[in-house]
Amino acid sequence: MIWLQMTANTGPAECCLAVTKALAQLGREAHKAGVSLSVVEQLAGPIGGTLRSVLVELDGAQEAVGALAGQWSGSIQWICDSPYRKMHKRKNWFLNGAAFAPPAVSVEHGEIRYEATRASGPGGQHVNKTDSAIRATHVASGLSVKVQTERSQHANKRLAAQLLLSKLGDLAKSEEGKQKSERRLHHFQAERGNAGRVFVGMDFVEKTR
């Protein structure tokens, strides 16, 4: 099992659209590889249908999961005319991916309150329109997270507990958490001209080298 985050960082709306398209492509590749994909957390972009960042869980055979995560780690380039600024000369947009191990769940279930809620926001097929989304609240601290996937409430509870544990860890070690965030922000910087994968056009077709 691996967590993979894809982000446009501080890039414009076109980069956020690239994240949405990358998520869809990742979903197709995961299905083909026999790897299950669940959206753990996502941050909407500045325009509807775009994502500033998305965190997904990849689960399945270790070799297949590792290979898929590796293909989406690092800088990714999308070559396309801007769909938002017709006269804009820029055609190269970048996003960045990074894989890491999810935290082990050790928070006692009695300390977490779960509430079923309706999924919302962009994400296409990865957003369930029923009330299977889960909001998990750590009773002692009041810290809360919301998880929405295509899976059952049981699966969402497990993901919510993992995400909540991660956030509680950062809360308990605030200074260390700040340093970790700074390192992560630097790591997620999209590098121009150093892309591991290149996609072209609105159909997001991979360019062969």
Side-chain angles (χ1 to χ4, degrees), residues 11 30 54 63-64 84 86 88 134 137 150 185 188 201 206:
V54 61
E63 184 176 346
Y84 307 123
K86 299 302 182 182
H88 197 59
I134 293 294
T137 303
E150 291 184 305
L185 180 62
F188 287 160
E206 185 163 16

Side-chain angles (χ1 to χ4, degrees), residues 70-71 73-77 94 191 193-199 206-207 209:
Q71 291 171 4
S73 295
S75 180
I76 299 165
Q77 181 181 6
F94 293 85
E191 300 178 22
N194 191 31
R197 300 182 72 176
V198 179
F199 296 86
E206 185 163 16
K207 182 179 180 181
R209 296 181 182 276

Side-chain angles (χ1 to χ4, degrees), residues 18-161:
V19 173
T20 300
K21 290 183 174 294
L23 175 61
Q25 179 64 23
L26 173 61
R28 290 188 287 269
E29 293 181 8
H31 178 74
K32 185 176 180 180
V35 172
S36 66
L37 182 152
S38 299
V39 176
V40 178
E41 188 176 46
Q42 61 186 20
L43 177 63
I47 295 178
T50 68
L51 290 169
R52 174 67 59 187
S53 68
V54 61
L55 176 66
V56 301
E57 178 184 275
L58 302 176
D59 195 10
Q62 183 176 357
E63 184 176 346
V65 169
L68 186 61
Q71 291 171 4
W72 287 94
S73 295
S75 180
I76 299 165
Q77 181 181 6
W78 179 39
I79 303 173
C80 187
D81 290 330
S82 171
Y84 307 123
R85 296 176 285 177
K86 299 302 182 182
M87 303 302 293
H88 197 59
K89 294 182 179 180
R90 180 177 170 183
K91 296 183 179 181
N92 295 298
W93 317 101
F94 293 85
L95 62 135
N96 199 273
F100 54 97
V105 177
S106 61
V107 177
E108 294 294 331
H109 289 290
E111 298 178 354
I112 303 177
R113 181 176 68 248
Y114 297 100
E115 300 172 87
T117 182
R118 184 172 294 275
S120 62
Q125 63 178 335
H126 301 291
V127 173
N128 198 325
K129 299 303 188 295
T130 66
D131 291 338
S132 64
I134 293 294
R135 182 178 300 280
T137 303
H138 185 245
V139 177
S141 66
L143 189 65
S144 178
V145 299
K146 180 181 178 182
V147 171
Q148 53 188 41
T149 73
E150 291 184 305
R151 295 184 176 183
S152 65
Q153 286 188 12
H154 176 76
N156 285 338
K157 284 182 179 180
R158 176 176 58 82
L159 290 170

